[in-house]
Amino acid sequence: MKQTVYVKAILVSMYAIVSLFALMFINLIISAANEDMYYNEFYSQYMRKFSINYGKGETLPYNELGSDYALYFNVSETSDRDYDSIRAVYFNGNAAVPNMLEGRFFTKDEMENGAAVAVLGTLCKRNITTENGKDYYIYGNKKYEVVGYMGREDEVTDLDNMVWLNMGAYFERAAAYGRFAVDGGSEGNTDNVVEALFSRLSDEALEQAAEIIHERKIRSIAYFTRRIYNYVILALIINIAIVSIYYIDRKTYTVAVKKFVGASFGRISAEIISEYVSFASIGVAVGIIIAFLLRFTPFAESDEVFLMSFSLPSLLAMFAITVACAVVISVLPIIRIYRKDLSGNIK
């Protein structure tokens, strides 16, 4: 009896691991297909990116280019969650702004007057300093007061390792030499803002300006690691199949009695499949608990934990994939036990 319980625990643990891999897999697919700005570096599909060499940043004509637009200057870009991705930003009108988890977003006055303020993703709290009860982010020997933290509640997004500095404050010391992004929220509005910006550039800056094709950065697990995971998943499924056969063999007497009294192949199969589905379901529950607890470990900032974020579609797919795996794996033990001569087991 104890041995059977031990085997059940092993199967549940294995299905929990399968469910975690399934969750990462489905979140990769969702991220790749999602047009949500939170998973596209907070760019809309109408964003246009340019390389502009303007020189002295404080004279760059970034405001009054139109209505309802966002202008970004990429100070430091990275998809590695161990580092901060920094932008100088300017928002005008009713341009889309991120959800604030704490504090607030920039005000219009701060945008226009070049106040030294910043809005951060939650991971960037690791690099703040606190003075007199206020948080500050220091970049280029300049202190920016953190007025808010952006992102989504209980969800990992591209904003989590982003730092947004007020463009006016940043360009007081820095050159406007690098990559800009213009996002007007619609194709026509973006084109109008781009046209207004380029009309204000000097001839020299205009000659050097060039549009850049934006390649969406979808967070994913490194290629080499994915290859290793493929072998790990294959080995895991093989081991589940082996343990499943062993578990059914331990129930040979019960199956023999049912077969002897006339239980059909379909009935015996349904009972075995339902038991395996229960193992998988419990495994999914355990997997969800593990994925949640991993957020409070040193692995919290890894790509794997990033891809273990929860949403209704990902949880449903996680459950469906794990249960489907259990059903497929149960086929071999079912066929093996039913074809076996069990007459000796009921004597």
Side-chain angles (χ1 to χ4, degrees), residues 32-206:
N34 203 335
E35 291 299 333
D36 193 327
M37 293 173 67
Y38 286 80
Y39 298 96
N40 190 25
E41 304 175 76
F42 209 73
Y43 294 138
S44 78
Q45 58 181 311
Y46 304 107
M47 182 275 295
R48 294 175 64 186
K49 186 178 285 188
F50 301 88
S51 173
I52 299 176
N53 301 329
Y54 188 80
K56 201 169 184 179
E58 63 182 347
T59 60
L60 178 74
Y62 56 82
N63 56 358
E64 297 182 3
L65 299 175
S67 60
D68 307 335
Y69 70 92
L71 182 66
Y72 303 100
F73 176 75
N74 294 310
V75 178
S76 174
E77 284 187 295
T78 177
S79 58
D80 189 336
R81 292 169 63 78
D82 290 333
Y83 301 95
D84 298 345
S85 186
I86 304 172
R87 292 180 185 172
V89 305
Y90 174 81
F91 284 75
N92 187 62
N94 294 319
V97 299
N99 176 60
M100 302 306 297
L101 298 174
E102 299 178 39
R104 59 173 177 81
F105 196 64
F106 304 110
T107 66
K108 180 177 177 57
D109 287 342
E110 288 170 340
M111 291 268 91
E112 298 302 332
N113 297 324
V117 290
V119 171
L120 276 59
T122 53
L123 288 179
C124 302
K125 287 183 178 182
R126 61 199 169 197
N127 291 324
I128 65 169
T129 59
T130 302
E131 297 178 11
N132 301 321
K134 294 182 178 180
D135 293 344
Y136 291 91
Y137 190 87
I138 300 175
Y139 187 81
N141 296 321
K142 186 178 181 69
K143 288 198 307 184
Y144 296 82
E145 181 185 346
V146 180
V147 296
Y149 292 92
M150 57 188 174
R152 278 183 173 166
E153 193 74 37
D154 298 325
E155 191 172 342
V156 180
T157 73
D158 288 350
L159 291 178
D160 291 351
N161 69 322
M162 282 192 182
V163 173
W164 288 5
L165 309 175
N166 187 9
M167 184 171 286
Y170 175 78
F171 278 148
E172 282 182 358
R173 297 186 179 185
Y177 184 97
R179 295 189 174 190
F180 288 81
V182 178
D183 197 343
S186 68
E187 184 175 1
N189 197 43
T190 299
D191 291 344
N192 291 336
V193 174
V194 169
E195 184 178 348
L197 173 62
F198 274 60
S199 69
R200 297 187 182 187
L201 296 180
S202 65
D203 291 340
E204 182 180 356
L206 196 58

Side-chain angles (χ1 to χ4, degrees), residues 142-338:
K142 186 178 181 69
K143 288 198 307 184
Y144 296 82
E145 181 185 346
V146 180
V147 296
Y149 292 92
M150 57 188 174
R152 278 183 173 166
E153 193 74 37
D154 298 325
E155 191 172 342
V156 180
T157 73
D158 288 350
L159 291 178
D160 291 351
N161 69 322
M162 282 192 182
V163 173
W164 288 5
L165 309 175
N166 187 9
M167 184 171 286
Y170 175 78
F171 278 148
E172 282 182 358
R173 297 186 179 185
Y177 184 97
R179 295 189 174 190
F180 288 81
V182 178
D183 197 343
S186 68
E187 184 175 1
N189 197 43
T190 299
D191 291 344
N192 291 336
V193 174
V194 169
E195 184 178 348
L197 173 62
F198 274 60
S199 69
R200 297 187 182 187
L201 296 180
S202 65
D203 291 340
E204 182 180 356
L206 196 58
E207 288 177 2
Q208 299 180 51
E211 186 158 4
I212 301 169
I213 297 175
H214 172 61
E215 294 183 3
R216 183 176 172 189
K217 293 176 180 170
I218 299 172
R219 188 178 306 283
S220 63
I221 300 169
Y223 173 79
F224 181 71
T225 307
R226 290 203 308 270
R227 298 292 292 180
I228 294 176
Y229 283 171
N230 290 339
Y231 294 112
V232 171
I233 294 171
L234 179 61
L236 182 63
I237 291 175
I238 291 173
N239 277 276
I240 292 176
I242 293 172
V243 175
S244 297
I245 291 173
Y246 175 78
Y247 174 72
I248 293 299
D249 282 347
R250 301 292 299 177
K251 300 184 67 175
T252 299
Y253 177 78
T254 302
V255 175
V257 171
K258 291 180 179 179
K259 187 176 180 182
F260 180 76
V261 298
S264 65
F265 175 75
R267 180 179 174 181
I268 293 175
S269 298
E271 290 179 358
I272 294 175
I273 290 173
S274 64
E275 193 166 11
Y276 277 42
V277 168
S278 69
F279 295 153
S281 300
I282 297 172
V284 170
V286 173
I288 291 173
I289 294 172
I290 292 173
F292 177 76
L293 293 177
L294 282 172
R295 300 179 183 184
F296 307 99
T297 70
F299 304 103
E301 298 178 13
S302 68
D303 290 330
E304 285 80 0
V305 177
F306 172 88
L307 291 169
M308 290 180 190
S309 59
F310 304 137
S311 64
L312 182 58
S314 65
L315 289 176
L316 291 175
M318 173 189 188
F319 177 78
I321 292 172
T322 308
V323 168
C325 179
V327 172
V328 171
I329 289 175
S330 69
V331 172
L332 183 59
I334 289 171
I335 295 175
R336 184 175 181 274
I337 195 71
Y338 199 80

Side-chain angles (χ1 to χ4, degrees), residues 18-29:
V18 169
S19 71
L20 290 176
F21 278 113
L23 182 60
M24 288 191 290
F25 173 74
I26 197 63
N27 275 327
L28 275 172
I29 295 176

